[in-house]
Amino acid sequence: MVPRLDVRRLNAEKKYSGELSFSFDPEEDPVEIPYVSLVSPIRAELGYEILEDDSVEIRGTIGFTLKGLCSRCLKEMEKRFSEEVEGYFVPDGDGREDYAYTNGVIDLREFLRDAVLFSMPAGLYCSETCTAPEYKED
Ligand SMILES: [Zn+2]
């Protein structure tokens, strides 16, 4: 379940920063790797900070597990990912910012959908030797 961030109420309560931890199922399957699927749910550990102009910074990590066949050797495998994410929300935005919110409440679903898509690896690899050639560091 994705919580909503009630900026107006948090401001009234002077809770200008805080933590959000929750699990959620993506609305659409974000995995495009063949023979690989997401093990639901996705875990989000986020911190928020409300700035003086009521814009809100959110940063933290999302964690998820992918399960399926190694993209190179087709071995069955499962791997846990933890990726840093961040977003910037502006009240009644003008379209230039990352995300706009209205009526004092932030709906995190669009941000999370983007964050999950950006965090998805290009392939799933079972070991160091099973790395995609273009991602080799040496
Ligand atoms: Zn492999």
Side-chain angles (χ1 to χ4, degrees):
M1 186 67 191
V2 176
R4 285 144 52 102
L5 205 59
D6 190 334
V7 178
R8 245 180 230 163
R9 202 194 62 204
L10 292 168
N11 266 331
E13 294 172 355
K14 298 191 176 6
K15 293 177 182 164
Y16 303 122
S17 63
E19 310 280 324
L20 295 168
S21 298
F22 57 95
S23 298
F24 66 101
D25 293 320
E27 293 162 42
E28 297 159 32
D29 181 7
V31 184
E32 291 184 354
I33 312 166
Y35 310 115
V36 173
S37 58
L38 178 76
V39 181
S40 290
I42 295 173
R43 183 82 192 149
E45 310 276 349
L46 305 174
Y48 71 85
E49 185 171 5
I50 304 171
L51 307 178
E52 263 179 51
D53 61 359
D54 280 347
S55 61
V56 179
E57 276 181 0
I58 291 183
R59 61 182 78 221
T61 58
I62 56 170
F64 54 91
T65 300
L66 296 181
K67 188 179 174 181
L69 303 183
C70 172
S71 299
R72 189 145 181 175
C73 71
L74 300 181
K75 191 173 105 176
E76 265 193 61
M77 61 170 294
E78 196 174 304
K79 190 174 178 183
R80 183 85 185 153
F81 292 84
S82 181
E83 302 293 327
E84 290 189 13
V85 297
E86 62 176 43
Y88 184 60
F89 297 76
V90 176
D92 307 311
D94 57 13
R96 283 181 302 179
E97 63 290 317
D98 292 359
Y99 301 98
Y101 70 94
T102 50
N103 299 323
V105 178
I106 292 179
D107 182 343
L108 290 168
R109 283 177 299 183
E110 186 191 359
F111 163 67
L112 290 169
R113 189 160 51 230
D114 293 345
V116 169
L117 283 177
F118 286 132
S119 300
M120 281 295 143
L124 187 64
Y125 299 99
C126 68
S127 68
E128 290 290 315
T129 50
C130 270
T131 308
E134 63 264 37
Y135 292 113
K136 235 171 202 169
E137 294 282 322
D138 52 17

